[in-house]
Amino acid sequence: MYIPWKECENWKQMRLWTQALQQGFYTARSMTASEDDLVEPDMSFEIFTHSTKLFGFKVIMLGRFQEWEGCECYFRITSGVEFIKLVVSNGRVQGALLIGETDLEEVMENLILNQMDISQLGEHILDPNIDIDDYFD
């Protein structure tokens, strides 16, 4: 049986229990499929996502949330309330680190998956006066 595995730029192995569970489900589907069945990886392998709580704050990590050479990082920090970091390359969001009740999880996930060009907004994408939820969702 041939199992196709297309590596996605925005997904990476981080040795997390949620990823182990997703990989286990994929492996089980592959093992129980007939020889002629093609088992495609599901959505959980398109983008890295992880959520947890740290010191009472919600922490969401999406895509390639760690910066690398050649990328830009945009920040919005409200002390004691929220911390938002976007990792942007070639005008497209590649990753995000969201701490606190930002309500930006879905928007950032869509921006990463759809690779929309945000270069016209630049750092202003994180301006709290701009409702990017309505703009991009």
Side-chain angles (χ1 to χ4, degrees):
M1 175 193 267
Y2 168 72
I3 300 173
W5 185 263
K6 179 186 75 163
E7 213 172 305
C8 296
E9 277 188 30
N10 293 311
W11 187 89
K12 62 181 173 179
Q13 176 65 41
M14 292 281 287
R15 296 183 180 168
L16 299 167
W17 283 113
T18 52
Q19 285 185 324
L21 184 66
Q22 292 164 348
Q23 291 172 339
F25 283 138
Y26 178 72
T27 302
R29 284 194 345 255
S30 298
M31 291 172 66
T32 58
S34 69
E35 263 188 59
D36 299 328
D37 287 340
L38 182 65
V39 180
E40 294 280 344
D42 62 16
M43 181 64 183
S44 59
F45 295 99
E46 291 291 319
I47 181 174
F48 171 80
T49 59
H50 183 65
S51 66
T52 189
K53 279 206 174 247
L54 184 64
F55 300 115
F57 290 100
K58 179 170 66 170
V59 178
I60 307 289
M61 295 169 254
L62 299 170
R64 297 174 67 189
F65 63 92
Q66 297 169 319
E67 61 263 13
W68 67 91
E69 190 175 327
C71 74
E72 295 178 80
C73 291
Y74 304 149
F75 295 92
R76 181 169 90 194
I77 303 168
T78 309
S79 184
V81 178
E82 67 181 7
F83 173 91
I84 301 169
K85 176 176 97 173
L86 293 187
V87 180
V88 178
S89 179
N90 296 322
R92 286 157 172 70
V93 178
Q94 302 298 319
L97 175 61
L98 311 170
I99 301 175
E101 295 297 328
T102 64
D103 294 326
L104 294 175
E105 300 91 347
E106 218 174 299
V107 174
M108 293 305 153
E109 185 178 16
N110 288 334
L111 285 173
I112 294 168
L113 287 172
N114 297 331
Q115 290 295 287
M116 293 178 75
D117 187 358
I118 63 153
S119 55
Q120 76 276 8
L121 288 173
E123 283 186 50
H124 298 291
I125 191 167
L126 293 179
D127 185 337
N129 297 320
I130 297 174
D131 190 6
I132 62 170
D133 193 24
D134 288 337
Y135 192 76
F136 287 112
D137 205 18

